[in-house]
Amino acid sequence: MGNEQLEELRGQLDDVNEKLVELMNERAHLAQEIGRVKSSQGMNRFDPVRERKMLDMIQEKNQGPFETGTLQHLFKQIFKASLELQEDDHRKALLV
Amino acid sequence: MGNEQLEELRGQLDDVNEKLVELMNERAHLAQEIGRVKSSQGMNRFDPVRERKMLDMIQEKNQGPFETGTLQHLFKQIFKASLELQEDDHRKALLV
């Protein structure tokens, strides 16, 4: 009984993991597009004001069970990874 | 023109951020449930074999643009946050 319940919950978790992979890549793709637009306008890719707004949105939307600080920490890692992706794109563009 | 495009992309990114907050919390809730089932069976909450399987799934499902190593790093942070949540639950249960 307990094991069946565990397998059922793990199946649901696997589905959520898969959706998270897709959504993180969707986000990465959008961040790349934004990087390209900014680059074409000579704008700096890193924008602390915009990051602050996104972190505030998390506070506003968070219904738990994760604490807001935990989600904000996770998102900061996502921001960092996205910025690195934009910088890779930029370096590749310079090499063309 | 460039600014309109930027605002449009940022709007899409905000939508994705909001979905990510919801999905991470959905995952956190499932992890809590799993923690409770394991706890009731005297099982250890941390399971390196299960974590390895989830990391392998990321490799299998990843279509980019994030590199698999980047996604795996992000998921390790999520695993860690989920385990901390399960441990908080456990401590609270002990205090009841």
Side-chain angles (χ1 to χ4, degrees), chain A residues 35 37-47, chain B residues 2-3 6 10:
Chain A
V37 173
K38 284 178 152 185
S39 201
S40 72
Q41 298 184 45
M43 289 164 76
N44 199 327
R45 278 175 297 278
F46 174 60
D47 181 347
Chain B
N3 271 342
L6 197 56
R10 281 178 165 170

Side-chain angles (χ1 to χ4, degrees), chain B residues 73-88:
Chain B
H73 171 75
L74 292 171
F75 268 83
K76 281 181 195 170
Q77 306 284 317
I78 296 175
F79 297 161
K80 188 167 167 280
S82 302
L83 197 62
E84 283 165 4
L85 202 63
Q86 290 176 342
E87 281 166 359
D88 281 349

Side-chain angles (χ1 to χ4, degrees), chain A residues 14 17 25 27 62 64 66, chain B residues 17 25 27 50 62 64 66:
Chain A
D14 286 340
N17 284 341
N25 274 326
R27 195 189 184 289
N62 180 29
F66 269 142
Chain B
N17 284 341
N25 274 325
R27 195 190 183 289
R50 171 78 182 140
N62 181 28
F66 270 142

